[in-house]
Amino acid sequence: MKSCSETYIKKIQIESRVMGDLAQNHIIPASFRYQNFMAGCVNKLQNCGLKEDSYSTQLKLIRDISNPYYSDTNRCGRNDRRA
């Protein structure tokens, strides 16, 4: 007969594997697709001759997606706004 802690450990192991699989197979690919979509939008806006301030929000979002650990709004994985 298994103890409660063994059962708990097994359930947590299963949950962690499912989360890893979900991240690798669904979340990360979707974020890359969105990043490429946004980059295409910014490229089209640049080609139209618009000033950067008209697409600066999209550009910042691409930067945040590309490098979330070093962005202005998410420094080191935390949501603090230190300079």
Side-chain angles (χ1 to χ4, degrees):
M1 184 172 192
K2 290 186 178 183
S3 69
C4 289
S5 61
E6 288 176 351
T7 303
Y8 177 75
I9 290 169
K10 293 280 185 190
K11 286 182 180 182
I12 294 299
Q13 286 175 336
I14 292 168
E15 296 252 347
S16 67
R17 288 183 191 128
V18 169
M19 289 293 283
D21 180 66
L22 184 64
Q24 285 184 337
N25 295 314
H26 300 283
I27 297 169
I28 293 171
S31 68
F32 286 144
R33 283 191 302 272
Y34 184 65
Q35 179 185 16
N36 288 332
F37 170 77
M38 291 299 292
C41 290
V42 167
N43 191 31
K44 288 175 185 175
L45 292 171
Q46 287 173 334
N47 291 337
C48 288
L50 297 174
K51 294 182 180 179
E52 187 174 331
D53 63 340
S54 62
Y55 54 84
S56 62
T57 303
Q58 292 93 334
L59 199 54
K60 184 180 179 322
L61 184 58
I62 293 168
R63 287 185 186 123
D64 288 349
I65 292 170
S66 299
N67 203 355
Y69 294 103
Y70 297 103
S71 69
D72 292 333
T73 59
N74 195 11
R75 207 174 284 283
C76 295
R78 295 184 308 266
N79 265 338
D80 58 1
R81 292 190 177 253
R82 288 188 265 173

